[in-house]
Structures are given as C-alpha cells and as structure tokens.
Amino acid sequence: MYIISACLCGVNCKYNGENNLNENCAKLFREGKAVLVCPEQLGGLCTPRRPTELNDLSSEILNGNGKAMNDEGIDVTEGFLKGAYETLKIAKEVKATKAILKENSPSCGVNFVYDGSFKGDKIEGMGITAYLLTKEGIDVFSEEDLEPNRDKLVYLNQYDRNKANKRRSFKLEEDYQELETLDLTDNLGDFSDLPPKVQENVKKLMISLAEDLMGFTDIDEIAEATGLSIEEVKEVKDNEK
C-alpha cells in the first residue's frame, strides 16, 4: 500500500487551492493501491493558505529547532508537525511501505525544498513529513522520481543516481522496455588507440551506464552489457576503491 500526496491525484488541497495531478499517482489510486493524505490539511491548516517555507532542516524542526514560516512571517510550525505525525499514523494504520509525495513542498518535498527566502530558490532537503516517514522506515519518493531522465545519457550526480534506483524499485514497465533495447557498446567502436587515461575513463563510463542506467550489479552482467572482459571490469572496479 502507498501513501500519496492528495494533490498528486487531483485533490484541490495545494496551498493556492489547486492541485498537482500526476497520472502515475492517479493510476495507483484508481487501482486501490494508495491512500491519499494532505499533511497540511491534516495539521489543521486551511486551503487555500499562505505559502510556507522552512528556515532550517526538517530534522532540526522535528527536534524543536527551526520553524515553518509563511510569507507573512507567521509561525505555522505546529500545524506542519501535527500533519506529519497524523500522516505517519495513517501510514502505519494501512501498513504502507512506500510514499509518493509532492516535490519541493515544505511538508512533502523529497529531494528539494525552498530555501526560506520566498524568492523561488530551492535547496537539497526534505519536507517535514517526508523526513519523518523516512525516519520511520517508509520508502519515500517524489512524483518526479517516477519520471524518466530523458534528457540525460549519463546520471551525472548523486541525485540522478538515486532517482534511477528509485525508478527501478517501482519496476515501471517502460523502464524494462528501455533496458531491453539499450546497447551500451553501440557506436563505441574500438578505442584501443586512445591514450590510456582516456581508455580508462571510457570504461568507467560504460560500467556506470551498465550499473546506474541498466541496473546490473554482477560482474558477469556488466561485462556482457559493456563488451568489456570480466578482468577489465574487475580492474576498473578495483581502481575505484
């Protein structure tokens, strides 16, 4: 069973009275696989409501440090904390193992939240509810984690690597279709005449694609996918340690 931010399934509970409909999430709800929550409404906040941002890490706010402040300078931390714990209570009641929450939200942000300046700037971090659920052992995803990185050939940073891993855990059908047709060695040709350092970097790239994009973990699978020998894969992996 999933816990899903209600706004992602078309419920008009967003701070401005609108929603953030996401078809992947709505499909799970229609199939009876999800329970909808809006932490801020569960915490007693009205809809619509003033935009709110966090002035510290969610871990600090849960420990009594830092606050959730709206754009009029009003402290609404109590409502956000209450909503987080009410959401956790529901998750435990329905035995939810995963949650899909709205990215960037001060309650539900999974990878990013706004920085507290109300200037539209984001920082890496989690919303209060997302952090609490994670702390309690529930796997938390954002709706953006369900979308493919179609504009990237290689996952260039830890966020994209994490996103790839999260998508694999959902076993999305389109991912498997992509993996079946992907050939890492296509058009690479023979790079034996390249300088040794460049050869090493090309091998690292190929292995990274096999691991992060295709999900292979065994040396034999990586070797088969990349066209490298088992010895070459082991050598590159050993050099990374």
Side-chain angles (χ1 to χ4, degrees):
M1 182 63 70
Y2 297 87
I3 290 290
I4 297 182
S5 293
C7 64
L8 294 175
C9 290
V11 178
N12 292 325
C13 56
K14 188 177 174 181
Y15 77 93
N16 61 3
E18 298 179 359
N19 65 71
N20 298 292
L21 179 62
N22 178 282
E23 282 303 322
N24 284 323
C25 295
K27 182 174 183 290
L28 287 172
F29 178 60
R30 288 194 297 268
E31 292 173 349
K33 298 178 180 178
V35 172
L36 305 187
V37 297
C38 175
E40 290 162 32
Q41 286 190 343
L42 287 170
L45 300 175
C46 64
T47 302
R49 53 191 172 273
R50 301 302 306 175
T52 297
E53 297 185 7
L54 309 179
N55 68 6
D56 208 334
L57 298 174
S58 289
S59 57
E60 291 298 315
I61 295 173
L62 282 165
N63 287 330
N65 305 312
K67 299 181 183 299
M69 306 290 294
N70 71 20
D71 63 347
E72 294 180 335
I74 298 174
D75 183 351
V76 290
T77 309
E78 182 178 350
F80 275 76
L81 290 174
K82 180 181 178 182
Y85 282 104
E86 289 296 315
T87 299
L88 176 61
K89 187 186 301 182
I90 292 171
K92 289 183 175 180
E93 185 66 28
V94 301
K95 296 180 171 56
T97 58
K98 292 183 173 68
I100 307 173
L101 305 177
K102 180 68 188 82
E103 191 67 281
N104 307 320
S105 159
S107 285
C108 297
V110 175
N111 302 292
F112 299 97
V113 292
Y114 289 98
D115 68 355
S117 68
F118 293 96
K119 295 179 180 178
D121 297 325
K122 300 173 189 176
I123 57 174
E124 290 188 20
M126 304 184 82
I128 295 172
T129 297
Y131 179 83
L132 179 62
L133 294 181
T134 300
K135 184 180 177 184
E136 293 293 323
I138 295 172
D139 293 329
V140 174
F141 305 81
S142 81
E143 81 285 4
E144 294 180 7
D145 289 325
L146 308 185
E147 303 300 328
N149 284 314
R150 298 196 183 279
D151 59 335
K152 294 184 177 69
L153 175 62
V154 187
Y155 298 116
L156 297 176
N157 56 46
Q158 191 60 43
Y159 166 66
D160 290 317
R161 291 175 187 271
N162 290 341
K163 179 174 174 179
N165 291 333
K166 288 178 179 179
R167 281 177 56 74
R168 280 199 295 274
S169 75
F170 271 90
K171 300 180 180 178
L172 296 180
E173 182 178 347
E174 64 175 293
D175 285 350
Y176 284 95
Q177 292 172 348
E178 290 171 1
L179 298 186
E180 289 172 359
T181 60
L182 184 60
D183 181 2
L184 294 181
T185 61
D186 189 29
N187 297 324
L188 277 177
D190 183 8
F191 54 87
S192 60
D193 58 340
L194 296 174
K197 188 63 177 178
V198 177
Q199 288 186 42
E200 181 181 353
N201 288 336
V202 171
K203 291 177 182 178
K204 285 181 180 179
L205 170 62
M206 294 165 66
I207 291 171
S208 177
L209 284 167
E211 292 176 328
D212 298 333
L213 189 59
M214 300 180 74
F216 295 136
T217 56
D218 294 334
I219 297 292
D220 291 352
E221 291 179 332
I222 295 172
E224 182 177 354
T226 59
L228 299 173
S229 68
I230 292 176
E231 289 70 28
E232 286 177 309
V233 175
K234 287 182 177 178
E235 181 180 0
V236 172
K237 300 291 287 181
D238 288 340
N239 289 338
E240 291 178 344
K241 294 179 181 178

PDB file of all heavy atoms in Angstrom, residues 117-133:
ATOM      1  N   SER A 117      13.663  31.827   1.695  1.00  0.00           N
ATOM      2  CA  SER A 117      13.783  33.238   1.320  1.00  0.00           C
ATOM      3  C   SER A 117      12.557  33.756   0.576  1.00  0.00           C
ATOM      4  O   SER A 117      12.426  34.959   0.368  1.00  0.00           O
ATOM      5  CB  SER A 117      15.018  33.440   0.439  1.00  0.00           C
ATOM      6  OG  SER A 117      14.843  32.804  -0.827  1.00  0.00           O
ATOM      7  N   PHE A 118      11.683  32.848   0.144  1.00  0.00           N
ATOM      8  CA  PHE A 118      10.497  33.182  -0.657  1.00  0.00           C
ATOM      9  C   PHE A 118      10.878  33.878  -1.967  1.00  0.00           C
ATOM     10  O   PHE A 118      10.136  34.694  -2.489  1.00  0.00           O
ATOM     11  CB  PHE A 118       9.514  34.046   0.145  1.00  0.00           C
ATOM     12  CG  PHE A 118       8.901  33.308   1.303  1.00  0.00           C
ATOM     13  CD1 PHE A 118       9.442  33.423   2.569  1.00  0.00           C
ATOM     14  CD2 PHE A 118       7.810  32.477   1.118  1.00  0.00           C
ATOM     15  CE1 PHE A 118       8.905  32.730   3.645  1.00  0.00           C
ATOM     16  CE2 PHE A 118       7.259  31.774   2.186  1.00  0.00           C
ATOM     17  CZ  PHE A 118       7.807  31.899   3.453  1.00  0.00           C
ATOM     18  N   LYS A 119      12.047  33.514  -2.486  1.00  0.00           N
ATOM     19  CA  LYS A 119      12.499  34.053  -3.771  1.00  0.00           C
ATOM     20  C   LYS A 119      12.451  33.004  -4.872  1.00  0.00           C
ATOM     21  O   LYS A 119      12.931  33.230  -5.980  1.00  0.00           O
ATOM     22  CB  LYS A 119      13.924  34.596  -3.635  1.00  0.00           C
ATOM     23  CG  LYS A 119      14.045  35.787  -2.693  1.00  0.00           C
ATOM     24  CD  LYS A 119      15.488  36.264  -2.597  1.00  0.00           C
ATOM     25  CE  LYS A 119      15.606  37.463  -1.658  1.00  0.00           C
ATOM     26  NZ  LYS A 119      17.025  37.914  -1.530  1.00  0.00           N
ATOM     27  N   GLY A 120      11.897  31.840  -4.557  1.00  0.00           N
ATOM     28  CA  GLY A 120      11.805  30.772  -5.546  1.00  0.00           C
ATOM     29  C   GLY A 120      13.049  29.921  -5.646  1.00  0.00           C
ATOM     30  O   GLY A 120      13.160  29.092  -6.558  1.00  0.00           O
ATOM     31  N   ASP A 121      13.994  30.095  -4.711  1.00  0.00           N
ATOM     32  CA  ASP A 121      15.238  29.325  -4.749  1.00  0.00           C
ATOM     33  C   ASP A 121      15.080  28.017  -3.975  1.00  0.00           C
ATOM     34  O   ASP A 121      14.541  28.002  -2.866  1.00  0.00           O
ATOM     35  CB  ASP A 121      16.385  30.136  -4.150  1.00  0.00           C
ATOM     36  CG  ASP A 121      16.680  31.396  -4.949  1.00  0.00           C
ATOM     37  OD1 ASP A 121      16.532  31.338  -6.189  1.00  0.00           O
ATOM     38  OD2 ASP A 121      17.040  32.418  -4.344  1.00  0.00           O
ATOM     39  N   LYS A 122      15.585  26.935  -4.567  1.00  0.00           N
ATOM     40  CA  LYS A 122      15.475  25.618  -3.942  1.00  0.00           C
ATOM     41  C   LYS A 122      16.832  25.133  -3.451  1.00  0.00           C
ATOM     42  O   LYS A 122      17.872  25.505  -3.990  1.00  0.00           O
ATOM     43  CB  LYS A 122      14.913  24.600  -4.947  1.00  0.00           C
ATOM     44  CG  LYS A 122      13.543  24.949  -5.485  1.00  0.00           C
ATOM     45  CD  LYS A 122      13.146  23.982  -6.593  1.00  0.00           C
ATOM     46  CE  LYS A 122      11.884  24.445  -7.298  1.00  0.00           C
ATOM     47  NZ  LYS A 122      11.543  23.567  -8.442  1.00  0.00           N
ATOM     48  N   ILE A 123      16.788  24.288  -2.436  1.00  0.00           N
ATOM     49  CA  ILE A 123      17.989  23.642  -1.922  1.00  0.00           C
ATOM     50  C   ILE A 123      17.697  22.159  -1.740  1.00  0.00           C
ATOM     51  O   ILE A 123      16.536  21.744  -1.679  1.00  0.00           O
ATOM     52  CB  ILE A 123      18.430  24.251  -0.568  1.00  0.00           C
ATOM     53  CG1 ILE A 123      17.284  24.156   0.453  1.00  0.00           C
ATOM     54  CG2 ILE A 123      18.895  25.681  -0.741  1.00  0.00           C
ATOM     55  CD1 ILE A 123      17.668  24.587   1.851  1.00  0.00           C
ATOM     56  N   GLU A 124      18.745  21.360  -1.679  1.00  0.00           N
ATOM     57  CA  GLU A 124      18.547  19.943  -1.399  1.00  0.00           C
ATOM     58  C   GLU A 124      18.048  19.786   0.028  1.00  0.00           C
ATOM     59  O   GLU A 124      18.554  20.420   0.952  1.00  0.00           O
ATOM     60  CB  GLU A 124      19.853  19.172  -1.591  1.00  0.00           C
ATOM     61  CG  GLU A 124      20.291  19.074  -3.036  1.00  0.00           C
ATOM     62  CD  GLU A 124      21.468  18.139  -3.218  1.00  0.00           C
ATOM     63  OE1 GLU A 124      21.696  17.295  -2.327  1.00  0.00           O
ATOM     64  OE2 GLU A 124      22.154  18.258  -4.242  1.00  0.00           O
ATOM     65  N   GLY A 125      17.048  18.946   0.199  1.00  0.00           N
ATOM     66  CA  GLY A 125      16.496  18.737   1.526  1.00  0.00           C
ATOM     67  C   GLY A 125      15.141  18.063   1.444  1.00  0.00           C
ATOM     68  O   GLY A 125      14.611  17.833   0.356  1.00  0.00           O
ATOM     69  N   MET A 126      14.579  17.758   2.607  1.00  0.00           N
ATOM     70  CA  MET A 126      13.291  17.076   2.679  1.00  0.00           C
ATOM     71  C   MET A 126      12.300  17.913   3.466  1.00  0.00           C
ATOM     72  O   MET A 126      12.674  18.650   4.390  1.00  0.00           O
ATOM     73  CB  MET A 126      13.435  15.710   3.358  1.00  0.00           C
ATOM     74  CG  MET A 126      14.441  14.777   2.714  1.00  0.00           C
ATOM     75  SD  MET A 126      14.458  13.140   3.495  1.00  0.00           S
ATOM     76  CE  MET A 126      13.054  12.390   2.661  1.00  0.00           C
ATOM     77  N   GLY A 127      11.022  17.781   3.091  1.00  0.00           N
ATOM     78  CA  GLY A 127       9.965  18.393   3.870  1.00  0.00           C
ATOM     79  C   GLY A 127       9.793  17.648   5.192  1.00  0.00           C
ATOM     80  O   GLY A 127      10.310  16.540   5.377  1.00  0.00           O
ATOM     81  N   ILE A 128       9.037  18.244   6.098  1.00  0.00           N
ATOM     82  CA  ILE A 128       8.905  17.684   7.447  1.00  0.00           C
ATOM     83  C   ILE A 128       8.264  16.301   7.425  1.00  0.00           C
ATOM     84  O   ILE A 128       8.749  15.363   8.066  1.00  0.00           O
ATOM     85  CB  ILE A 128       8.094  18.648   8.332  1.00  0.00           C
ATOM     86  CG1 ILE A 128       8.866  19.962   8.506  1.00  0.00           C
ATOM     87  CG2 ILE A 128       7.805  18.020   9.688  1.00  0.00           C
ATOM     88  CD1 ILE A 128       8.079  21.056   9.211  1.00  0.00           C
ATOM     89  N   THR A 129       7.174  16.140   6.693  1.00  0.00           N
ATOM     90  CA  THR A 129       6.504  14.840   6.623  1.00  0.00           C
ATOM     91  C   THR A 129       7.380  13.807   5.935  1.00  0.00           C
ATOM     92  O   THR A 129       7.489  12.661   6.396  1.00  0.00           O
ATOM     93  CB  THR A 129       5.162  14.965   5.886  1.00  0.00           C
ATOM     94  OG1 THR A 129       4.296  15.829   6.631  1.00  0.00           O
ATOM     95  CG2 THR A 129       4.493  13.610   5.719  1.00  0.00           C
ATOM     96  N   ALA A 130       8.005  14.193   4.837  1.00  0.00           N
ATOM     97  CA  ALA A 130       8.869  13.264   4.101  1.00  0.00           C
ATOM     98  C   ALA A 130       9.999  12.766   4.994  1.00  0.00           C
ATOM     99  O   ALA A 130      10.322  11.569   5.002  1.00  0.00           O
ATOM    100  CB  ALA A 130       9.433  13.940   2.859  1.00  0.00           C
ATOM    101  N   TYR A 131      10.591  13.672   5.752  1.00  0.00           N
ATOM    102  CA  TYR A 131      11.689  13.279   6.633  1.00  0.00           C
ATOM    103  C   TYR A 131      11.204  12.326   7.721  1.00  0.00           C
ATOM    104  O   TYR A 131      11.852  11.314   8.015  1.00  0.00           O
ATOM    105  CB  TYR A 131      12.335  14.511   7.267  1.00  0.00           C
ATOM    106  CG  TYR A 131      13.465  14.155   8.206  1.00  0.00           C
ATOM    107  CD1 TYR A 131      14.742  13.899   7.716  1.00  0.00           C
ATOM    108  CD2 TYR A 131      13.242  14.040   9.575  1.00  0.00           C
ATOM    109  CE1 TYR A 131      15.773  13.540   8.568  1.00  0.00           C
ATOM    110  CE2 TYR A 131      14.267  13.679  10.436  1.00  0.00           C
ATOM    111  CZ  TYR A 131      15.533  13.432   9.931  1.00  0.00           C
ATOM    112  OH  TYR A 131      16.547  13.065  10.786  1.00  0.00           O
ATOM    113  N   LEU A 132      10.051  12.632   8.316  1.00  0.00           N
ATOM    114  CA  LEU A 132       9.529  11.790   9.394  1.00  0.00           C
ATOM    115  C   LEU A 132       9.218  10.382   8.886  1.00  0.00           C
ATOM    116  O   LEU A 132       9.551   9.386   9.545  1.00  0.00           O
ATOM    117  CB  LEU A 132       8.274  12.421   9.994  1.00  0.00           C
ATOM    118  CG  LEU A 132       7.612  11.631  11.133  1.00  0.00           C
ATOM    119  CD1 LEU A 132       8.557  11.500  12.324  1.00  0.00           C
ATOM    120  CD2 LEU A 132       6.306  12.300  11.558  1.00  0.00           C
ATOM    121  N   LEU A 133       8.586  10.281   7.723  1.00  0.00           N
ATOM    122  CA  LEU A 133       8.268   8.964   7.170  1.00  0.00           C
ATOM    123  C   LEU A 133       9.543   8.174   6.882  1.00  0.00           C
ATOM    124  O   LEU A 133       9.619   6.974   7.156  1.00  0.00           O
ATOM    125  CB  LEU A 133       7.440   9.111   5.892  1.00  0.00           C
ATOM    126  CG  LEU A 133       6.032   9.692   6.049  1.00  0.00           C
ATOM    127  CD1 LEU A 133       5.338   9.760   4.691  1.00  0.00           C
ATOM    128  CD2 LEU A 133       5.194   8.887   7.029  1.00  0.00           C
TER     129      LEU A 133
END
